[in-house]
Amino acid sequence: MVSAEIMQESKRANPGKATILALGKAFPHQLVMQEFLVDGYFRNTNCDDPELKKKLARLCKTTTVKTRYVVMSDEILENYPELAVEGVPTITQRLDICNKAVTQMAIEASQDCIKKWGRPVSDITHLVYVSSSEARLPGGDIYLAKGIGLKPETNRVMLYFAGCSGGVAGLRVAKDIAENNPGSRVLLATSETTIIGFKPPNVNRPYDLVGVALFGDGAGAMIIGADAIPWVERPLFELHTAIQHFLPDTEKIIDGRLTEEGISFKLARELPQIIEDNIGDFCNKLMKVAGNGERDYNNMFWAVHPGGPAILNRLEKKLDLSPDKLNASRRALEDYGNASSNTIVYVMEYMMEENLKVKKEGQGDTEWGLILAFGPGVTFEGILTRNLIV
């Protein structure tokens, strides 16, 4: 695992190291129960293909998702019936809906996070904004800054179309900002909606049904900063070491294109296998950067973006993890679906619950862990993290 010197460190964060100081989340009002999704989706898209319906029903069971929040509603389809029609240019309508929706969710998640942080919004010095669900100029960072009342001199960074790895990529960027700007406080906000890619079923696009069965909407937020103020801020996790790695010649494995009909995604069948084949080397590399190459992964906690059950199952098998190690990821997938960049925030919240549960049961205190996500590229994001919750 990590070196003995690092392991001997107290629960107090290391001076100058970035920490997560608060978490927040928000969702649209529409809650979808997985058991009712198939009939609703085929009704909304005026499709009666029995074979496609059976296929989606099977996928809904295998994803392990039980509930999800979505922006899409009967009211939106009444106002924009063309969204459910094949071959109609609808990018303008989709962006009108998405741009407003992701801004509102990002505002609500940020406000939730800032409230938990306990300091005024005027103390935020930097903003990192992440989304793969909008496209405009100026970007969503400006509308979020205005919506929560950030001061005009707040330094902003946007990460667009980073997909499922966007949340951890944003966390890596926020860590760098916090550690290189003493006294800074960084708001990381992520916001996503599937309306940008909503389409009717088509026999020529069977992979679309995977997205219908798996993806959800929402927003997440974190406050990141170094050298927490005693009695004012409560650091939750120390972000010790962060790395990124892309796999050459895999850019078609997660393929997304913005077209006249919205965004079209193709997830290759090989994706879980590719992650399984490379996750061991990536984790080893991250541990070596931190000063130790030993592998004792069952003595660590795991906050993994749940791209789908197949990815979690293969990672668990490859690293020989005990079944409970991915509980937080599986719970997030079950309750929210794969909400793209947001999902790591939900995983981290569940991870806090899991760590406290282990502690209460007298099973020791899991201090060190890994935050992982996988996105287009294929890109691996990883952060070696310390649990600071006493």
Side-chain angles (χ1 to χ4, degrees):
M1 215 172 65
V2 292
S3 65
E5 179 182 352
I6 294 176
M7 288 294 291
Q8 290 171 1
E9 294 166 356
S10 69
K11 283 289 188 175
R12 191 172 298 173
N14 288 300
K17 278 289 184 183
T19 59
I20 297 174
L21 299 169
L23 298 165
K25 62 182 184 292
F27 302 98
H29 300 300
Q30 187 88 351
L31 177 65
V32 175
M33 307 294 291
Q34 193 82 334
E35 58 193 289
F36 302 123
L37 181 139
V38 177
D39 289 338
Y41 174 67
F42 276 82
R43 181 182 64 250
N44 290 338
T45 55
N46 301 307
C47 179
D48 58 1
D49 188 309
E51 290 304 314
L52 286 176
K53 199 169 186 179
K54 288 179 183 178
K55 182 177 178 63
L56 180 58
R58 289 194 301 270
L59 287 169
C60 283
K61 291 179 180 179
T62 58
T63 60
T64 72
V65 177
K66 291 185 177 179
T67 56
R68 279 177 290 171
Y69 292 89
V70 296
V71 172
M72 180 60 80
S73 65
D74 290 340
E75 181 182 358
I76 289 176
L77 284 173
E78 287 174 6
N79 293 331
Y80 301 93
E82 61 271 27
L83 297 181
V85 179
E86 186 77 32
V88 177
T90 51
I91 187 61
T92 299
Q93 297 94 313
R94 292 173 189 275
L95 288 177
D96 283 346
I97 300 167
C98 292
N99 290 344
K100 294 174 184 176
V102 294
T103 295
Q104 185 58 39
M105 291 189 293
I107 288 172
E108 293 175 8
S110 298
Q111 290 172 335
D112 178 47
C113 185
I114 293 166
K115 182 178 179 180
K116 293 174 181 176
W117 176 42
R119 291 178 61 181
V121 67
S122 58
D123 287 349
I124 293 173
T125 60
H126 296 74
L127 170 64
V128 178
Y129 178 76
V130 181
S131 183
S132 297
S133 305
E134 63 159 86
R136 52 182 159 174
L137 191 69
D141 59 325
I142 281 287
Y143 296 98
L144 172 57
K146 178 182 177 181
I148 62 174
L150 290 181
K151 54 183 182 281
E153 56 267 29
T154 302
N155 294 299
R156 310 181 321 276
V157 175
M158 284 195 302
L159 299 180
Y160 266 8
F161 294 102
C164 291
S165 60
V168 181
L171 193 54
R172 172 174 51 79
V173 171
K175 166 183 164 61
D176 287 346
I177 293 171
E179 291 178 353
N180 286 283
N181 295 271
S184 62
R185 290 297 179 264
V186 186
L187 171 62
L188 166 63
T190 66
S191 193
E192 308 285 4
T193 173
T194 50
I195 282 185
I196 192 74
F198 180 86
K199 289 180 177 64
N202 187 310
V203 292
N204 297 318
R205 296 195 313 271
Y207 39 79
D208 281 1
L209 296 180
V210 176
V212 175
L214 183 63
F215 291 106
D217 300 355
M222 301 187 197
I223 296 289
I224 296 95
D227 303 319
I229 300 174
W231 310 110
V232 176
E233 297 173 312
R234 184 192 180 198
L236 306 174
F237 297 93
E238 177 183 303
L239 305 175
H240 190 276
T241 303
I243 65 171
Q244 181 193 66
H245 181 83
F246 74 90
L247 303 176
D249 302 318
T250 61
E251 54 268 24
K252 295 295 183 181
I253 298 299
I254 305 174
D255 189 39
R257 302 295 173 91
L258 196 59
T259 72
E260 292 86 351
E261 298 177 56
I263 196 165
S264 297
F265 276 111
K266 291 183 182 179
L267 301 176
R269 291 175 178 269
E270 307 95 293
L271 180 60
Q273 185 65 55
I274 288 172
I275 291 174
E276 179 182 354
D277 291 343
N278 291 276
I279 189 62
D281 289 343
F282 180 75
C283 290
N284 290 342
K285 180 180 179 181
L286 179 53
M287 301 303 289
K288 287 177 181 177
V289 169
N292 196 292
E294 296 178 20
R295 293 176 296 173
D296 193 1
Y297 292 140
N298 278 303
N299 286 334
M300 303 176 73
F301 64 84
W302 292 79
V304 181
H305 170 80
I311 291 173
L312 296 179
N313 292 342
R314 285 173 177 267
L315 187 148
E316 181 180 282
K317 178 183 176 183
K318 181 70 174 183
L319 300 178
D320 197 23
L321 300 179
S322 58
D324 62 307
K325 287 299 173 181
L326 297 181
N327 278 355
S329 298
R330 296 189 190 279
R331 288 176 63 189
L333 182 63
E334 186 176 292
D335 292 344
Y336 306 115
N338 178 345
S340 193
S341 65
N342 311 315
T343 322
I344 198 63
V345 177
Y346 315 150
V347 173
M348 295 298 290
E349 283 198 335
Y350 282 139
M351 180 54 60
M352 291 168 62
E353 291 182 15
E354 294 290 330
N355 283 343
L356 290 173
K357 179 182 176 182
V358 168
K359 194 171 184 178
K360 285 181 180 178
E361 293 175 351
Q363 299 179 24
D365 185 8
T366 307
E367 184 173 5
W368 289 90
L370 293 179
I371 301 173
L372 300 174
F374 319 102
V378 169
T379 300
F380 284 47
E381 294 277 357
I383 304 177
L384 178 65
T385 307
R386 286 181 65 217
N387 172 23
L388 300 175
I389 303 171
V390 177

